[in-house]
């Protein structure tokens, strides 16, 4: 049979589209090159712990439409992200808030903290032109040197002066004692794991796993009137204009026979020398309990190493610097000529999307595509 839509990739963008299309009576086939659904939000249960196999995913949003949508497919717990920064054994609270300023400078009141920041940000004259200048103008040089520079250079493999300033604007700066990493009205982790949530979204929809679209493109294209492509846009075009750059991540997972390794879901190693960027201790996303509410006696940790993407690696983060943004625009022009293909998601749009923004962008696309 011929389907209305072939959805390439079962991550959030693909799952939202497939779910909405099915709900409107369209026929949909979802394929994924991996042996499992859920893309990079995939979680795998190890000893009762939902392990975020492709890195920590903490759902947060200010968009009520997105929250109302996603909570149809999972119950979310009350997890609030409060990472700890470890700089050569000194621990700091993140994001940058009164606890951080107190530890860094001994200041006690918001006024004292602001005074320190203003004194240090004075070195930046005019509009910040790169991540370094942006960071110093947000929180001053001390915090830049201890909590931002090393981490960012490990994470992006580039000098902070060569990175766009928007990356650091993702982090809040607060003159209150508030360790919540996100400025979001809604936040949490789906109880039972993200894989289960995506499974619920794809309920009743045909899914074929371990199918590589680009390797069988002609044959698969014949199966449907239209394609929703959520893979890398440069890969779709055989890299013919050159590679877009991505950062990739490698995880070293360990199951430890102890109940508590670091006392927090995320600890960032913000010095330059420690080779990993952060360590995730997955059980704390669900308060150290299994699905029945019992304490878990073991723990799983993942050390996260950042690297430059090369063919064969998984792409994670688009590098939205000038060269790549220009190249992406050229690919986008090619994409416009592919009349029966819609490109979407972090890889399809080469955009540093958070989960909620991906869902929003998919819902908006559905509105245009399915309800016309
Ligand atoms: N960042 C930092 N120090 C930290 C955490 C983050 O300098 O301890 C900077 C870094 O440049 C990073 C950016 O903030 O790329 C965004 O961090 P976020 O935690 O939002 O990244 P993600 O969770 O998407 O990897």
């Amino acid at each position: 049979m011929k389907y209305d839509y072939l959805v390439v990739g079962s991550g959030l963008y693909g799952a939202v589209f497939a779910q909405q299309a099915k709900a409107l009576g369209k026929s949909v086939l979802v394929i994924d090159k991996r042996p499992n659904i859920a893309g990079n939000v995939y979680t795998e249960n190890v000893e009762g712990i939902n392990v975020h196999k492709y890195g920590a995913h903490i759902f947060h949003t200010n968009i009520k439409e997105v929250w109302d949508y996603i909570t149809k497919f999972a119950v979310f717990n009350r997890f609030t992200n409060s990472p700890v920064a470890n700089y050569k054994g000194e621990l700091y609270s993140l994001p940058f808030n009164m606890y951080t300023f107190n530890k860094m400078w001994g200041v006690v009141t918001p006024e004292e903290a602001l005074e320190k920041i203003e004194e240090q940000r004075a070195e930046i004259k005019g509009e910040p032109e790169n991540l370094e200048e942006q960071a110093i103008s947000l929180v001053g040089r001390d915090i830049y040197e201890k909590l931002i520079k090393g981490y960012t250079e490990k994470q992006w493999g580039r000098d902070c002066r060569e990175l766009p300033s928007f990356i650091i604007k993702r982090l809040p700066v607060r003159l209150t004692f508030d360790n919540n990493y996100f400025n979001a009205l809604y936040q949490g982790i789906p109880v039972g794991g993200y894989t289960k949530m995506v499974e619920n979204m794809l309920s009743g929809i045909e899914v074929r796993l371990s199918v590589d679209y680009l390797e069988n493109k002609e044959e698969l294209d014949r199966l449907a009137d239209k394609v929703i492509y959520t893979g890398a846009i440069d890969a779709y075009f055989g890299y013919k204009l050159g590679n877009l750059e991505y950062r990739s991540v490698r995880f070293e997972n360990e199951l430890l026979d102890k109940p508590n390794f670091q006392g927090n879901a995320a600890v960032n190693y913000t010095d330059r020398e420690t080779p990993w960027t952060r360590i995730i201790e997955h059980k704390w996303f669900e308060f150290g309990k299994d699905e029945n509410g019992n304490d878990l006696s073991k723990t799983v940790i993942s050390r996260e190493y950042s690297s430059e993407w090369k063919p064969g690696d998984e792409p994670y983060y688009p590098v939205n610097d000038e060269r790549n943004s220009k190249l992406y625009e050229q690919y986008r022009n090619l994409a416009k000529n592919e009349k029966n293909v819609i490109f979407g998601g972090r890889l399809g749009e080469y955009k540093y999307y958070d989960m909620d923004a991906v869902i929003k962008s998919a819902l908006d696309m559905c509105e245009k595509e399915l309800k016309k």
Side-chain angles (χ1 to χ4, degrees), residues 56-58 60 81 83-86 94-96 131 135 143-144 146-153 155-156 160 163-164 166-172 181-182 249 267-270 277-278 304 317 346 352-354:
H57 282 80
I58 299 144
H60 57 99
N81 191 26
V84 170
N86 181 329
L94 292 175
F96 312 119
L131 196 152
I143 289 181
Y144 170 68
K146 284 191 171 180
L147 303 183
I148 298 175
K149 190 174 191 294
Y151 186 92
T152 301
E153 292 187 355
Q155 155 106 28
W156 295 97
C160 287
L163 286 165
F166 82 86
I167 293 177
I168 201 67
K169 285 203 209 140
R170 290 167 60 84
L171 306 193
Y181 198 63
F182 301 117
V249 185
V267 176
N268 293 356
Y269 286 76
T270 57
T277 50
R278 53 188 167 193
E304 194 170 319
Y317 296 89
R346 207 184 246 221
Y352 190 179
Y353 270 138
D354 285 334

Side-chain angles (χ1 to χ4, degrees), residues 144-204:
Y144 170 68
E145 299 279 351
K146 284 191 171 180
L147 303 183
I148 298 175
K149 190 174 191 294
Y151 186 92
T152 301
E153 292 187 355
K154 286 192 286 189
Q155 155 106 28
W156 295 97
R158 287 162 176 74
D159 194 283
C160 287
R161 281 168 299 224
E162 278 153 28
L163 286 165
S165 52
F166 82 86
I167 293 177
I168 201 67
K169 285 203 209 140
R170 290 167 60 84
L171 306 193
V173 178
R174 297 194 190 108
L175 292 169
T176 53
F177 292 91
D178 179 359
N179 287 332
N180 184 348
Y181 198 63
F182 301 117
N183 283 322
L185 271 176
Y186 310 102
Q187 181 170 180
I189 301 279
V191 174
Y194 283 92
T195 306
K196 183 87 196 92
M197 178 183 93
V198 175
E199 225 171 82
N200 291 340
M201 296 168 82
L202 294 175
S203 151

Side-chain angles (χ1 to χ4, degrees), residues 221-275:
D221 281 343
R222 281 198 291 272
L223 295 181
D225 294 334
K226 225 162 167 179
V227 173
I228 311 299
Y229 177 82
T230 70
I233 188 169
D234 54 345
Y236 181 96
F237 292 104
Y239 306 103
K240 67 177 168 193
L241 304 175
N243 277 11
L244 286 165
E245 292 172 298
Y246 299 89
R247 293 298 286 172
S248 192
V249 185
R250 181 171 62 80
F251 299 97
E252 252 174 41
N253 303 319
E254 251 186 284
L255 172 66
L256 304 175
D257 199 8
K258 56 166 98 172
N260 192 353
F261 172 75
Q262 63 184 16
N264 203 34
V267 176
N268 293 356
Y269 286 76
T270 57
D271 65 301
R272 190 71 191 78
E273 293 72 37
T274 306

Side-chain angles (χ1 to χ4, degrees), residues 1 45 53 55 119 129 133 163 188 213 245 260 269 281 284 336 341 354 357-358 361 367:
M1 83 168 248
N45 199 283
K53 289 296 273 194
E119 186 188 304
E129 288 190 344
E133 292 182 9
L163 286 165
Y213 173 71
E245 292 172 298
N260 192 353
Y269 286 76
E281 187 171 12
W284 302 123
K336 282 183 194 146
V341 186
D354 285 334
V358 160
S361 131
E367 200 61 40

Side-chain angles (χ1 to χ4, degrees), residues 41-61:
V41 304
Y42 177 66
T43 49
E44 191 177 276
N45 199 283
V46 177
E47 304 266 346
I49 302 163
N50 289 309
V51 175
H52 296 211
K53 289 296 273 194
Y54 298 93
H57 282 80
I58 299 144
F59 194 85
H60 57 99
T61 190

